[in-house]
Amino acid sequence: MMSLHNEADLRDLWYEVNDSKSIVIYCGAGVTADRTGVGWLGLINRVADKLMECSDSKLIKNLETCSAFDDREDDKKPQLARKAVKEYLNDEDVPLEVKATMVEALAKNENNINIENNDAIQKVFAEALYRDSGWHRGRTLQKLVDFIVVSACMGKSISIITTNYDTYIERAIWERLKFLNDPNPSEDSESKKPLPKWSLVEHKKVPKVLFQSDKEGSSIEVNYIHGSITENGDLRGSLVFSERNYADGHDRTVKKLIKWFEKGPTIIVGASLNDVPLVRSLLEFKRTIKERGEGSHAGIYAILRRIAIDSEDISDQFQLSRAEVLGIKLLMFDSYNDIPDIFSNLIALCAQGIDGYGGKLPCELALEDWIGQTA
């Protein structure tokens, strides 16, 4: 069962969502982890394996000349160099961004020309994200999308910001909208909720409308801030992968995130709060609000896994202290499977309001009813 540090946090979020015309949702890799089965390190390793199949990588040739391999036979050195690369990638002390930059270096030959074209690298991404995962399908993505679509159908503007390269979020939204748009003879057309406008914003591109709205002001917008790759390996926007890519887009990303935070209540889900642009935008947003002297502003809520250190109370205090510095509120959970309950609760509160649950959260009440029936 979901364990929140303070259950009122979820009700506070619902009050803000209910009163606002706009909702912002920041989605990290955890949102689609049960679809892809791969994180950033997995993608880095897959790209590295592909590049090491080539014989003219400048980095591999440089490694072959290292003194550590002086006493080895020449025909063994390429294999030893590739092994050294894999050990480097698996070193937990090396930051992921640094590993990505090393892979970028791996792609250059002695003339600093890419040994593989971008299409080949993008195909590797697509294979890892869509075809090689073999993972089961959990409830997090679908419950999140249900909340997004329900909120939009109630006349709200939803801005989704994602760092993910995959397109599972937009797919799930499309499937839900398509289902709702199909004519249902058994349903009274007058009781049918108007559907929202749905659009995609690729990196540095203008919005592309995919679904027209039945109601003005009701919309869903998906923003890929690091670019995206389709199942067939097509790149949309500009892929942000290495330290160089992050540095090029850092200031622009921070400014964009701050503007999104100003739109309305924000929910951060599937992210660990280690992303540098995200953390800096949170701090800058907090500073901006303070300078303006604004007593009240839309809250930022992060759904974050509880870290077990000695005791639950101690670990909570560490995480809550950082949240206070960042200017955010935490909805803490113990298991990944608890996340869908947060959105199930929000959907129920959006549909029925808060008064009909006797001071309890909908999922808690449902569980108590079930226990009562089986006792």
Side-chain angles (χ1 to χ4, degrees):
M1 182 62 187
M2 179 175 56
S3 177
L4 298 175
H5 176 78
N6 182 352
E7 290 181 0
D9 285 346
L10 186 56
R11 296 181 180 85
D12 290 344
L13 172 57
W14 175 77
Y15 280 122
E16 290 204 46
V17 165
N18 190 54
D19 292 341
S20 178
K21 293 181 179 179
S22 299
I23 306 171
V24 179
I25 302 177
Y26 181 101
C27 297
V31 169
T32 58
D34 58 2
R35 300 298 199 272
T36 65
V38 64
W40 198 11
L41 179 57
L43 288 173
I44 290 171
N45 274 293
R46 290 295 299 272
V47 174
D49 289 342
K50 175 67 176 177
L51 293 174
M52 286 192 293
E53 293 174 1
C54 303
S55 59
D56 55 347
S57 168
K58 179 180 178 181
L59 178 59
I60 294 295
K61 290 183 178 297
N62 287 343
L63 287 171
E64 290 175 20
T65 65
C66 289
S67 58
F69 302 147
D70 283 348
D71 59 344
R72 302 302 181 96
E73 298 176 8
D74 287 345
D75 61 343
K76 299 292 184 183
K77 290 181 179 180
Q79 181 181 353
L80 293 169
R82 294 183 178 94
K83 182 181 178 182
V85 170
K86 296 299 290 185
E87 290 175 351
Y88 182 85
L89 290 178
N90 291 321
D91 188 335
E92 294 182 356
D93 292 332
V94 179
L96 289 173
E97 295 90 342
V98 176
K99 294 176 182 179
T101 296
M102 189 280 294
V103 170
E104 188 177 49
L106 192 64
K108 303 290 185 181
N109 64 16
E110 292 182 355
N111 297 317
N112 284 327
I113 299 173
N114 282 347
I115 58 179
E116 282 281 9
N117 60 43
N118 289 334
D119 289 344
I121 303 302
Q122 290 156 205
K123 294 288 185 186
V124 175
F125 270 73
E127 288 171 2
L129 292 170
Y130 301 105
R131 290 188 285 280
D132 295 343
S133 64
W135 276 48
H136 68 281
R137 297 206 167 195
R139 299 183 300 131
T140 295
L141 175 59
Q142 195 55 60
K143 285 298 178 184
L144 171 60
V145 167
D146 286 346
F147 169 69
I148 289 168
V149 173
V150 166
S151 299
C153 287
M154 296 178 74
K156 299 184 184 299
S157 173
I158 315 296
S159 297
I160 302 165
I161 304 102
T162 181
T163 57
N164 297 354
Y165 303 125
D166 64 81
T167 60
Y168 286 110
I169 295 173
E170 69 175 76
R171 283 188 191 185
I173 293 172
W174 168 243
E175 289 298 325
R176 180 57 69 194
L177 290 176
K178 187 170 64 172
F179 172 79
L180 293 174
N181 193 48
D182 285 344
N184 185 351
S186 63
E187 185 178 3
D188 181 2
S189 60
E190 293 184 0
S191 65
K192 188 176 179 180
K193 289 284 187 183
L195 297 179
K197 180 176 79 172
W198 173 44
S199 58
L200 298 180
V201 183
E202 299 162 6
H203 186 58
K204 299 182 181 178
K205 297 285 186 70
V206 297
K208 178 182 178 181
V209 177
L210 301 180
F211 195 94
Q212 288 293 347
S213 173
D214 294 335
K215 182 178 181 180
E216 186 176 351
S218 173
S219 66
I220 301 172
E221 185 177 273
V222 182
N223 300 268
Y224 290 97
I225 59 176
H226 291 169
S228 64
I229 295 176
T230 64
E231 189 168 0
N232 61 6
D234 291 338
L235 173 63
R236 301 188 312 192
S238 301
L239 189 66
V240 179
F241 181 65
S242 67
E243 289 175 298
R244 176 179 58 83
N245 302 142
Y246 272 87
D248 290 344
H250 177 273
D251 292 345
R252 180 179 62 253
T253 300
V254 169
K255 289 178 181 178
K256 281 187 173 182
L257 287 172
I258 292 171
K259 286 185 177 180
W260 274 314
F261 296 155
E262 292 174 342
K263 284 187 173 185
T266 298
I267 303 171
I268 299 173
V269 57
S272 62
L273 296 183
N274 291 329
D275 186 75
V276 173
L278 173 60
V279 171
R280 289 183 178 173
S281 63
L282 290 170
L283 291 169
E284 182 65 20
F285 180 67
K286 180 182 177 182
R287 184 188 66 79
T288 301
I289 293 298
K290 185 176 180 180
E291 288 180 353
R292 291 177 184 171
E294 297 179 8
S296 62
H297 59 86
I300 300 176
Y301 296 77
I303 299 173
L304 204 63
R305 184 168 188 169
R306 177 176 283 110
I307 300 173
I309 303 175
D310 293 331
S311 72
E312 186 174 296
D313 289 343
I314 292 175
S315 62
D316 283 1
Q317 289 308 312
F318 283 128
Q319 289 177 284
L320 289 167
S321 295
R322 185 177 185 226
E324 184 177 358
V325 171
L326 296 178
I328 62 177
K329 302 174 184 179
L330 295 187
L331 296 175
M332 302 175 73
F333 64 90
D334 296 306
S335 167
Y336 182 79
N337 292 326
D338 293 335
I339 300 176
D341 288 348
I342 294 175
F343 294 105
S344 293
N345 280 317
L346 288 172
I347 292 167
L349 291 173
C350 286
Q352 301 292 335
I354 203 166
D355 296 331
Y357 294 99
K360 298 181 181 294
L361 292 172
C363 287
E364 291 176 335
L365 191 60
L367 180 61
E368 288 181 5
D369 289 345
W370 180 79
I371 292 174
Q373 293 173 13
T374 57

